[in-house]
Amino acid sequence: MPILPLSPQVFSILSSLVAEHAGLTFDAAHMPVFAEKVAARAAEQGFESLLDYYYFLRYDRGGADEMAALIETLVVGETYFFRELPPLEAVVTHTLAPAVASGRRPRVWCAACATGEEPLTLAILLASRAMLDGVEIVASDINGASLERARTGRHSRRALRQDMPPFAERWMRQTPAGLEVNQRLRDAISWRRVNLIDDAAVSALGTFDVVICRNVLIYFSDEIARRVIDRLTARLEPGGILVVGVSESLLRFGGALVCEEKDGTFLYRRPA
Ligand SMILES: C[S@@+](CC[C@H](N)C(=O)[O-])C[C@H]1O[C@@H](n2cnc3c(N)ncnc32)[C@H](O)[C@@H]1O
């Protein structure tokens, strides 16, 4: 397949279009990987130049669908079971368990769930404490193909990078092909395709006691990350908790959330 050349000028307009659509930010250092993925996709679709591809994405009636497909090739869907487990345990113990005990059905949104290992880990934690039915879990991602995969409940071997914790053994099993998660857990999660840049789609989800958005802000510029954090904050109930990745401190963004330490992990609370 011929590789289409990408000039700095076309890189600039194409990468801006991608950032506008999905928040993903590619600077000059990322140009080679961006060029490779975009050129491969454009050539596969029959385009002979990346400028033509840009005009198609921007102005053609089929541009929106093609942009969605391009975004799927550009995102990094790296995830695995029990990744950064302590913050999930902390929200279960300190936010969800007390809410369930008080007779409420708290809502959790896992906002960039890739192939589902993260919300499924949360579901396993809840199930192991007999709280699965007491909590509503919404899991979303921009990548439709990842969500399709999540719905199957079948995961590759790489989705488990440690020994299976004893509390999980009842809920997932190792198969020759990888891992399979109990259907009750998959059915307990409402899987949605949501772009974090899309205000209307995010608002339509309602409000949550806990929003988990981990290992995605790192792909956005600071300006876009700040806007996404504001959107997520607006989705929190007063007193609600935002969980970000362990390498994604929000302190430099300022904002309305208050950082709290719980069981050695950092959580961000919207003041009540
Ligand atoms: C590295 S994975 C993180 C998965 C999981 N949260 C974890 O920490 O294991 C990043 C995910 O963010 C998703 N993503 C990137 N941009 C997005 C956007 N604008 N809206 C929603 N999801 C997005 C990608 O599709 C990918 O599945």
Side-chain angles (χ1 to χ4, degrees):
M1 190 183 297
I3 287 297
L4 305 173
L6 179 63
S7 67
Q9 292 80 2
V10 177
F11 169 66
S12 171
I13 54 176
L14 262 174
S15 58
S16 299
L17 194 60
V18 166
E20 202 181 291
H21 250 82
L24 304 170
T25 307
F26 294 87
D27 57 24
H30 297 112
M31 184 167 154
V33 61
F34 182 87
E36 193 186 314
K37 290 184 173 178
V38 176
R41 174 74 202 177
E44 196 185 289
Q45 296 305 301
F47 289 89
E48 290 181 358
S49 95
L50 289 180
L51 186 58
D52 288 349
Y53 187 54
Y54 167 80
Y55 283 125
F56 179 82
L57 289 170
R58 170 123 247 170
Y59 300 113
D60 199 274
R61 281 179 57 199
D65 287 347
E66 179 54 25
M67 177 55 91
L70 174 64
I71 299 293
E72 293 193 0
T73 71
L74 289 172
V75 289
V76 176
E78 166 84 358
T79 188
Y80 47 93
F81 285 100
F82 316 114
R83 182 181 195 181
E84 300 175 13
L85 188 60
L88 297 185
E89 293 178 310
V91 286
V92 170
T93 302
H94 297 287
T95 302
L96 300 176
V100 172
S102 75
R104 288 183 49 232
R105 187 163 188 249
R107 303 186 76 220
V108 182
W109 175 29
C110 189
C113 71
T115 38
E117 286 79 349
E118 186 176 65
L120 287 164
T121 297
L122 177 70
I124 292 170
L125 277 175
L126 292 169
S128 69
R129 298 190 193 188
M131 277 168 46
L132 185 61
D133 294 336
V135 177
E136 181 183 345
I137 308 174
V138 175
S140 68
D141 200 276
I142 196 171
N143 190 338
S146 293
L147 293 167
E148 279 310 306
R149 184 79 191 277
R151 285 190 187 101
T152 67
R154 285 191 290 276
H155 301 262
S156 72
R157 281 167 200 274
R158 275 183 51 74
L160 186 65
R161 305 202 186 162
Q162 60 178 78
D163 290 339
M164 196 179 304
F167 67 80
E169 278 165 9
R170 217 183 121 196
W171 303 102
M172 56 196 290
R173 66 186 183 97
Q174 309 213 26
T175 66
L179 291 158
E180 203 168 308
V181 177
N182 184 305
Q183 181 153 5
R184 234 195 102 205
L185 301 183
R186 287 181 269 145
D187 291 349
I189 297 171
S190 167
W191 305 95
R192 316 265 181 90
R193 188 168 182 179
V194 176
N195 179 354
L196 292 172
I197 301 301
D198 182 342
D199 263 331
V202 169
S203 298
L205 295 174
T207 55
F208 296 88
D209 298 80
V210 176
V211 174
I212 300 164
C213 183
R214 304 197 295 179
N215 303 304
V216 58
L217 297 174
I218 46 172
Y219 299 106
F220 300 159
S221 66
D222 276 4
E223 188 200 328
I224 293 173
R226 184 172 283 115
R227 287 206 323 255
V228 169
I229 293 160
D230 287 347
R231 267 185 208 112
L232 299 180
T233 303
R235 292 300 99 219
L236 286 174
E237 291 284 348
I241 296 287
L242 174 64
V243 186
V244 295
V246 292
S247 61
E248 297 175 307
S249 166
L250 299 188
L251 295 177
R252 71 200 161 94
F253 292 112
L257 301 174
V258 178
C259 184
E260 281 180 9
E261 190 180 343
K262 287 274 186 235
D263 302 339
T265 73
F266 293 104
L267 307 173
Y268 295 86
R269 185 182 296 280
R270 178 175 172 178

